[in-house]
Amino acid sequence: MIKGSILQEDITILNMYKPNNKLSNYIRQKLIELQGEIDESTIVVGDFNTPVLEMNRSSGQKISKDIVKLNSTINQLY
């Protein structure tokens, strides 16, 4: 996690990586643990090894329960 400012605005950059062999719950749990440090000026970036956004999925790809839970957690952070 990196904290700084751009154009006198405070920002936090949170870089995350989830190995392929871990479940999607790994990122979800880490986000929950860091929830107190995440606010509207936080930018979450990284390699989730999971197609979180619909535009990143192939047309026939199913949405697993883990992805639904992860999206719900991300939406609740703010």
Side-chain angles (χ1 to χ4, degrees), residues 46-64:
D47 185 354
F48 297 158
N49 280 310
T50 302
V52 176
L53 299 176
E54 186 175 338
M55 67 184 214
N56 293 334
R57 289 186 214 111
S58 63
S59 60
Q61 191 173 9
K62 293 182 179 180
I63 302 170
S64 72

Side-chain angles (χ1 to χ4, degrees), residues 25 28 64-74 76:
N25 285 333
R28 185 174 163 265
S64 72
K65 291 179 184 179
D66 285 341
I67 294 172
V68 171
K69 287 179 186 178
L70 178 58
N71 280 333
S72 176
T73 302
I74 290 169
Q76 292 174 14

Side-chain angles (χ1 to χ4, degrees), residues 2-4 14-15 19 24 26 32 35 38 42 45 47-48 60 69-70 77:
I2 299 171
K3 296 183 181 238
L14 175 59
N15 184 25
S24 295
Y26 174 82
I32 291 169
Q35 189 169 10
I38 296 174
T42 302
V45 298
D47 185 354
F48 297 158
K69 287 179 186 178
L70 178 58
L77 289 174

Side-chain angles (χ1 to χ4, degrees), residues 31-49:
L31 289 172
I32 291 169
E33 289 173 13
L34 294 168
Q35 189 169 10
E37 299 182 49
I38 296 174
D39 60 22
E40 66 277 350
S41 66
T42 302
I43 302 167
V44 180
V45 298
D47 185 354
F48 297 158
N49 280 310

